[in-house]
Amino acid sequence: MDAMAVSISSGISSSRVRLWDAVKMALFFGAFQAFMPIIGYYIIPLLSAVFGSGVETFVNNFDHWIAFVLLAFIGGKMIIEAIKNEPEDGHTNPFALGTLIVMSIATSIDALATGIVFRGFNLDAGARTFVFLAIGITTFILSLLGVLLGKKLGKTIGAKFRRWAVLGGGIVLVGLGVKILIEHLIA
């Protein structure tokens, strides 16, 4: 759902969204959501075996902070652009490769811990593959629909209100970062 919210705000705040942009964002979000639990399931325990159990503790203690910082950075940049009312060519492009990677990491880093938790279940390889694929495919579909919905909403509000859409999108990203942080700190 975090990836879908980011997708919607990206679609709304962008002046031009091509179908490839929507597919590209959905692919990134889906792939990262599928691979982070795999990394948590296989790589983190391997690193823990080599470097000690501190690796798993580190991931569990800091994944939410990493997500918060990344989302707050991108969202804060969007908020500043909206307040300064910078021209379109100065606008953050949510579909640029670097931005996609950062947002993909930010929305999926907590899935590393999910992969670690999966080790506690006695799932065979087929069940694990199904779960990881289901996570990726579901995220892909929701993200694709989110960008397309955001594009439609962006057209509805028009260029006149795009500045406010960028501001709202930035607030959503910062809010998601805060939500992730609070969920982990309370748990």
Side-chain angles (χ1 to χ4, degrees):
M1 294 312 292
D2 291 346
M4 185 178 189
V6 171
S7 299
I8 292 170
S9 66
S10 296
I12 289 173
S13 63
S14 297
S15 60
R16 185 173 150 232
V17 179
R18 299 169 301 185
L19 179 59
W20 171 242
D21 293 328
V23 170
K24 186 168 61 170
M25 180 170 275
L27 282 171
F28 269 83
F29 285 178
F32 272 77
Q33 285 287 345
F35 285 115
M36 286 293 193
I38 292 170
I39 291 170
Y41 190 89
Y42 292 106
I43 307 293
I44 300 299
L46 180 65
L47 292 173
S48 291
V50 173
F51 299 107
S53 62
V55 174
E56 284 184 35
T57 303
F58 177 81
V59 169
N60 288 328
N61 287 338
F62 292 101
D63 63 343
H64 51 281
W65 286 103
I66 295 168
F68 169 73
V69 167
L70 294 175
L71 288 169
F73 174 75
I74 295 170
K77 188 172 179 208
M78 288 173 70
I79 291 168
I80 290 168
E81 287 172 356
I83 291 170
K84 287 183 174 180
N85 202 13
E86 292 182 355
E88 274 305 305
D89 52 337
H91 178 66
T92 299
N93 179 3
F95 306 108
L97 180 62
T99 305
L100 278 174
I101 291 171
V102 170
M103 289 192 307
S104 297
I105 291 169
T107 58
S108 66
I109 192 131
D110 57 339
L112 275 171
T114 302
I116 295 169
V117 170
F118 275 149
R119 293 193 68 78
F121 302 126
N122 195 11
L123 300 176
D124 62 34
R128 285 192 305 271
T129 302
F130 174 79
V131 169
F132 297 144
L133 282 175
I135 290 169
I137 291 169
T138 301
T139 304
F140 173 85
I141 292 168
L142 291 174
S143 298
L144 181 65
L145 293 173
V147 174
L148 297 176
L149 174 64
K151 176 184 176 182
K152 186 85 163 160
L153 291 170
K155 283 183 179 179
T156 302
I157 62 172
K160 182 178 176 181
F161 298 104
R162 187 151 321 276
R163 175 178 172 220
W164 297 106
V166 172
L167 178 65
I171 291 169
V172 166
L173 293 181
V174 172
L176 283 172
V178 170
K179 175 188 132 319
I180 290 168
L181 186 62
I182 290 172
E183 285 176 351
H184 284 272
L185 292 176
I186 290 173

